[in-house]
Amino acid sequence: MELRSVEELMELLYACRGAWDTPDRTGDPVDLHDHALQTAALLRRSHPSDKELQVAGLVHDIGYLLPPGDEARHADHAAHAIRPLLGHRVARLVRLHVPAKRYLAATDPWYGLSPQSTFTLQLQGGAMTPAEARAFECDPMAEDAVTLRQADDAAKVPGVNAGIMEDWRPVLELVTAAQR
């Protein structure tokens, strides 16, 4: 599936309400909708001028719905779906949020993951080898991918008011317009 309009993307983002990272809701304590809003809000606070990074935070987990149940490849599904609409950088950051988790697991002894992220880390290849970590560090988007990953990890707090999805429509339109 490739998204072709902001309206299609908004519909998918709204479909994240009540959708979880696991079918039986044993995973992270917030639904994908609240997780998306929290991630984007954290990135807006830490990087207020980087709209593409913020949008990557908003859409990074929509792949859980495309197709449902493919946890190991959710980032690839999301990146493929948004690339035509949001461009290369946003898609690449979305794709890299999983390798960034593997990188942090390999290089940061204090890196903590939720129980669900620990489980999916194994499905996604586990912590990087030293050679994989060195290669990741050479990627020009590695630093931004790690920033996205850190916001992703922090954005799992029940009850946090991170705004409403509709507030992101103008930002999505702005990023989309820049791709044309």
Side-chain angles (χ1 to χ4, degrees):
M1 172 183 192
E2 290 184 354
L3 298 168
R4 297 290 179 183
S5 70
V6 169
E7 190 58 39
E8 284 181 5
L9 178 54
M10 289 297 294
E11 287 175 19
L12 187 59
L13 288 165
Y14 279 118
C16 290
R17 181 172 294 288
W20 300 80
D21 58 349
T22 59
D24 62 2
R25 293 184 57 177
T26 59
D28 291 324
V30 295
D31 68 9
L32 295 175
H33 177 272
D34 290 349
H35 177 61
L37 288 172
Q38 286 183 33
T39 305
L42 288 169
L43 291 166
R44 178 181 272 168
R45 270 185 241 125
S46 66
H47 293 77
S49 63
D50 193 341
K51 302 302 184 210
E52 290 180 336
L53 180 60
Q54 296 166 27
V55 166
L58 187 69
V59 303
H60 74 281
D61 275 347
I62 63 170
Y64 279 110
L65 303 177
L66 309 168
D70 190 358
E71 293 175 9
R73 296 192 55 227
H74 78 278
D76 294 333
H77 294 303
H80 176 77
I82 64 167
R83 178 178 275 100
L85 185 64
L86 300 174
H88 173 74
R89 180 168 181 250
V90 175
R92 182 98 172 107
L93 289 171
V94 167
R95 178 165 277 137
L96 286 174
H97 88 273
V98 170
K101 174 170 69 170
R102 295 183 61 226
Y103 172 77
L104 288 168
T107 61
D108 182 351
W110 304 109
Y111 185 55
L113 289 169
S114 70
Q116 182 61 22
S117 288
T118 300
F119 171 74
T120 58
L121 175 64
Q122 298 314 308
L123 296 175
Q124 296 159 339
M128 286 184 172
T129 65
E132 288 173 322
R134 284 190 301 276
F136 179 81
E137 290 167 348
C138 292
D139 189 305
M141 291 192 202
E143 186 176 329
D144 288 340
V146 167
T147 298
L148 170 57
R149 181 73 230 178
Q150 290 167 331
D152 179 7
D153 292 332
K156 300 174 182 184
V157 182
V160 168
N161 180 355
I164 61 171
M165 194 62 72
E166 196 59 34
D167 290 343
W168 286 96
R169 185 184 297 270
V171 181
L172 291 168
E173 290 171 347
L174 181 72
V175 170
T176 299
Q179 304 310 311
R180 303 202 191 283

